[in-house]
Amino acid sequence: MKKQVLSILLPAIVLLTACGTHQNADTKANQYSVTEKPFGTLENEAVTKYTLTSPTGMQVSIINYGATVTSIMVPGKDKTMGDVILGFDTLPGYLQKTNPYIGAIVGRYGNRIAKGKFELDKHAYQLTLNDHGNTLHGGIRGLDKVIWTATRMPGDSSLQLTYTSPDGDQGFPGNLKVQVIYTVTSGNGLQIDYTATTDKATPINLTNHCYFNLSGGKEPTILNHEIMIQAAKYTAVDSLLIPTGQLPDVKGTPMDFSSPKLVGKDISLVKGGYDHNWVLSRNTKGLEKIATVYDAGSGRVMDVLTTEPGLQFYTGNFLDSTLTGKYGWVYAQHAALCLETQHFPDGPNQPSFPNTILKPGETYTHSTRYQFSVK
Ligand code: GLA
């Protein structure tokens, strides 16, 4: 009996092996999966949690409220899976007024616009103000606080989120159509691909606001994480974190991360902690590695690759133990760090900074990948 089955199966097996490449690609693709779970409702709209799993077991969960990444599970050097970002178990956690954009997509303009004002085509615009008289992360109700439309994509490795911000939203001109695609890669990476179009000229600066702590809950702060940022300059800011227009050298200052350094080494020398935009020293126009974070305890390494010219390195300075997240973790000051790939803050008011104005007929594009490994 067994022999008979084998003689029938054997030619099939030989055939399948012969079809090599195509078959392998299919098998690999099949190892990606997506699951969906209800995550609550907001203004009668359903919020859903999507979990993307890669062939190596990396798991990324995303909700369509704010296009927010709620967890990233990756292995440490002992092969234990750990969640390397902050987040909440429930929708009310994310809806808290004091939620500091945890895991969300921020926009239309990530970071600050001075006094929420800018001029375009001789027209003065006024945005909603939400940060000491300035506009932060798109204003009072930015892209982090709206429900996006989520669509699963063929192959199950990606999730597409779309949102149309209407003309005049938070004071911004033009109907802006935004698309974000999150993709888990076979090599433990999370890639974020952004595109947007508009029907009136408008400033745009989209980024993701994940708070990383690579220890997976073992370390209460990131002060012992090591970080490298490929940058020789940063944008100097005033006391409200608005750029002065100057681009000082990092060399010989606490801002120098051009070779790996512990986050905590010089942090006390920087008033309030790190919350600055580094001017990336790029060699290409494509997706390029511009930062690396390493947690020696867990052995986890995170490389940041981007197409953007800037990187906001923020050390969770405003976290103050008043928020408790998933697993009961209390978010104390410096519990996690953000690496927000972006154009420079206040771009619309700083003619010498890289252009942040999107015009009708053009397509805004930005790609960033958080790539995990161990050493
Ligand atoms: C950004 C800003 C910080 C802070 C956080 C959210 O990273 O640069 O100043 O506002 O968002 O708390």
Side-chain angles (χ1 to χ4, degrees), residues 100-101 112 136-137 209 211 241 275 312 314 318 340:
Y101 309 90
R112 294 167 177 80
L136 173 67
H137 295 333
H209 214 296
Y211 285 72
L241 301 176
D275 192 358
Q312 185 84 4
Y314 168 59
F318 302 121
E340 303 156 54

Side-chain angles (χ1 to χ4, degrees), residues 16 105 174 278:
L16 284 181
I105 294 293
W278 270 257

Side-chain angles (χ1 to χ4, degrees), residues 222-243:
I222 42 71
L223 296 175
N224 286 324
H225 281 34
E226 194 179 83
I227 181 165
M228 182 284 293
I229 303 175
Q230 189 177 291
K233 292 176 181 296
Y234 67 102
T235 46
V237 285
D238 68 14
S239 62
L240 293 180
L241 301 176
I242 298 293

Side-chain angles (χ1 to χ4, degrees), residues 213 215 217-223 330-336:
N213 180 324
S215 75
K218 298 261 161 61
E219 294 284 336
T221 76
I222 42 71
L223 296 175
V330 174
Y331 297 150
Q333 191 181 38
H334 311 314

